[in-house]
Amino acid sequence: MAQATSTRLYWDPDVGLRPGDTPRTGLLAADSWLVTDGTARAVERHRDRFARACAAAGVSRLTTECFWQDALAAIPPHGDWFPRAELHTDGRLAFLLRAAPPRGTSLRVLVWSGPDPRTRPRVKGPDLERLAGVRQRAVRAGADEALLCTDSDLLMESTTSALLWWEGDTLCLPSQRLRVLPSVTAALLVERARELGIRVRQRHARLQALDGRETWLVNALHGIRAVTEWTGSRVRPGAAERAPAWRAHLESLRLPLTGRPDPHTPR
């Protein structure tokens, strides 16, 4: 049976989630994660990132927690889903239940030469529409994704993903002093590298530094996608030799959405 494309539910503290009109407001915060047959990876980290953004907008942690529990309960136990928690500019909390789009393991990337469209780069949500516009222009140029840079051409992140690459046996990522979103998936991979004794290095890097290097764009939906083309550039993509093993690690982190006590849940 086919899954419904998407349903947006608004949260009322007295009645829980219920259908509502199409929103005419923007987003103050949003967070998405992949759910496969009732399991998800690091969902508590997505909750915490969303809760921090909500708290900055004046929503209490208890309110966000109650909303989040209702949202998880609304996800069907079977099928592939890519739900999104939302805080709208009118103060309403909403839950977008949507079928997961097709996932991939590789992609072509255009280094974006235009201005950085983000107004709040360390918060997910406010700039989603602007970033989608940049990605659409990258697709028209023959790529699948656009990679954002600073004014001095330092690599930051793509419109939907964090950037990671390998320099020999060192796992590299852009300096966290740059305007980048704290990525849940990138953090999981960095933690795994440290568990294995692999050196992790934050770098200020330009595109040429990635010539011939295995490079990944990572996010909650796709996990790891290896860059197979730097669209419009002579920079050569590196072979994705490490990616399969690291994808397997991410898959091993899936846990049921319910049935396990969460140490962050208020008692």
Side-chain angles (χ1 to χ4, degrees):
M1 183 180 295
Q3 297 177 176
T5 303
S6 66
T7 302
R8 182 174 277 104
L9 304 170
Y10 292 93
W11 189 72
D12 184 311
D14 296 321
V15 299
L17 292 166
R18 55 188 174 84
D21 298 332
T22 301
R24 298 182 180 180
T25 54
L27 290 173
L28 288 175
D31 227 293
S32 305
W33 62 98
L34 178 65
V35 179
T36 300
D37 291 333
T39 66
R41 180 175 59 240
V43 69
E44 75 286 348
R45 300 196 189 199
H46 290 280
R47 178 203 59 200
D48 289 347
R49 185 171 65 178
F50 182 69
R52 288 193 297 271
C54 288
V59 180
S60 74
R61 177 69 189 231
L62 179 59
T63 295
T64 304
E65 187 66 42
C66 292
F67 158 75
W68 192 270
Q69 293 302 318
D70 285 346
L72 292 187
I75 302 172
H78 302 292
D80 289 344
W81 304 93
F82 192 51
R84 187 168 79 190
E86 302 175 339
L87 174 63
H88 290 259
T89 52
D90 61 4
R92 289 191 296 172
L93 287 161
F95 181 62
L96 181 63
L97 179 61
R98 55 189 177 178
R103 273 104 64 201
T105 58
S106 63
L107 77 173
R108 302 161 298 173
V109 180
L110 174 74
V111 175
W112 179 244
S113 60
D116 185 347
R118 300 168 302 164
T119 60
R120 298 184 65 194
R122 294 186 180 275
V123 178
K124 186 171 182 178
D127 298 312
L128 288 179
E129 192 170 324
R130 296 182 184 90
L131 290 168
V134 170
R135 187 169 64 256
Q136 289 168 4
R137 279 174 273 181
V139 170
R140 288 197 292 269
D144 302 301
E145 179 58 288
L147 188 65
L148 304 176
C149 299
T150 68
D151 291 340
S152 55
D153 297 328
L154 298 177
L155 304 175
M156 292 191 290
E157 61 189 7
S158 84
T159 66
T160 64
S161 306
L163 172 68
L164 295 171
W165 70 95
W166 290 89
E167 295 186 3
D169 293 328
T170 299
L171 180 63
C172 300
L173 66 160
S175 170
Q176 299 306 287
R177 295 180 180 180
L178 298 176
R179 289 158 46 94
V180 294
L181 179 74
S183 166
V184 169
T185 307
L188 293 172
L189 293 169
V190 166
E191 289 168 14
R192 178 58 174 169
R194 289 175 172 150
E195 289 172 0
L196 296 174
I198 293 171
R199 184 182 180 192
V200 177
R201 183 181 178 190
Q202 293 187 20
R203 286 207 52 195
H204 286 121
R206 296 180 174 84
L207 180 59
Q208 192 60 40
L210 274 54
D211 187 52
R213 301 193 185 281
E214 181 171 358
T215 303
W216 303 340
L217 291 184
V218 305
N219 65 16
L221 175 62
H222 297 279
I224 296 170
R225 286 182 293 174
V227 177
T228 55
E229 175 187 296
W230 292 106
T231 304
S233 168
R234 294 184 179 181
V235 172
R236 301 163 300 156
E241 297 173 347
R242 295 178 175 87
W246 289 74
R247 288 192 193 101
H249 169 68
L250 287 180
E251 285 302 306
S252 75
L253 299 179
R254 294 196 167 280
L255 293 173
L257 287 179
T258 58
R260 283 176 177 257
D262 190 326
H264 296 283
T265 302
R267 293 291 191 265

